[in-house]
Amino acid sequence: MKKFQDPHISLAKESQIDEIYSIMTTVATQMDHPEYYVIDDRNYVARHISQEGFTLLWQEVDTIAGFLIVHLPTPDDPHNLGRDLSFSSLQLQGVSHMESAAVLPQFRGKGIQKKLISAAETRVRSLGFRYSLCTVHPNNLPSLQTLLSLNYEVSTTKLKYGGKLRHIMKKEL
Ligand SMILES: CC(C)(COP(=O)(O)OP(=O)(O)OC[C@H]1O[C@@H](n2cnc3c(N)ncnc32)[C@H](O)[C@@H]1OP(=O)(O)O)[C@@H](O)C(=O)NCCC(=O)NCCS
């Protein structure tokens, strides 16, 4: 598959798992509203290098400034967000998730999340996926604004992840 158009963007490799996980935990511990950004463990990052999806990095010289984890659920995965939207079994086959995204505070304000999602959409579309779904806390304005500006729509709003309020955002690719 061809490289990404933006030279700052690359696919994460196994050797970068610890750095990604470190950014994830650093950002999570600095949140004013911790419930906006729920993180998983290191193994979750490891599984999203190539097994259950992929991870895109934004690099500034030799530093990872931010990342986006893309999950490619199976149609029968109970966590496939298409289930929350009553997707048909055919639609469930075409679902990709834009999952964990974080940008280190010193690199924010340049739309890095938007550029990462945009590159991920191109990649999942070329892999045959038809829907890009994700969740966002209704008051997580930087992330919500990014998604709205990429033409995601709020499909429903409900409690997810053991009782956390989330919009489920949808975009047809
Ligand atoms: C979400 C996050 C990745 C976005 O970082 P970023 O790409 O640098 O985002 P930006 O600062 O460029 O802002 C993106 C958009 O939100 C807008 N925005 C930023 N802060 C805002 C605020 N407080 N109120 C309203 N809009 C805001 C920006 O103007 C921009 O809008 P535009 O595209 O129309 O210009 C980053 O804030 C982060 O790491 N947050 C913590 C982790 C998190 O919440 N992740 C998302 C859930 S998985």
Side-chain angles (χ1 to χ4, degrees), residues 9 39 46 73 77 83 89 153 162:
I9 299 178
I39 63 165
D77 182 342
R83 294 188 182 282
S89 50
E153 63 183 49

Side-chain angles (χ1 to χ4, degrees), residues 105-117:
Q106 63 269 36
F107 297 106
R108 289 182 194 160
K110 298 189 290 186
I112 290 177
Q113 183 191 22
K114 183 173 183 174
K115 290 169 193 158
L116 287 171
I117 293 176

Side-chain angles (χ1 to χ4, degrees), residues 24-50:
M24 186 184 263
T25 52
T26 300
V27 167
T29 53
Q30 292 175 355
M31 294 292 291
D32 289 339
H33 302 279
E35 72 277 16
Y36 291 4
Y37 186 47
V38 175
I39 63 165
D40 221 305
D41 57 12
R42 184 189 180 280
N43 186 35
Y44 169 82
V45 177
R47 293 200 313 273
H48 288 86
I49 298 300
S50 60

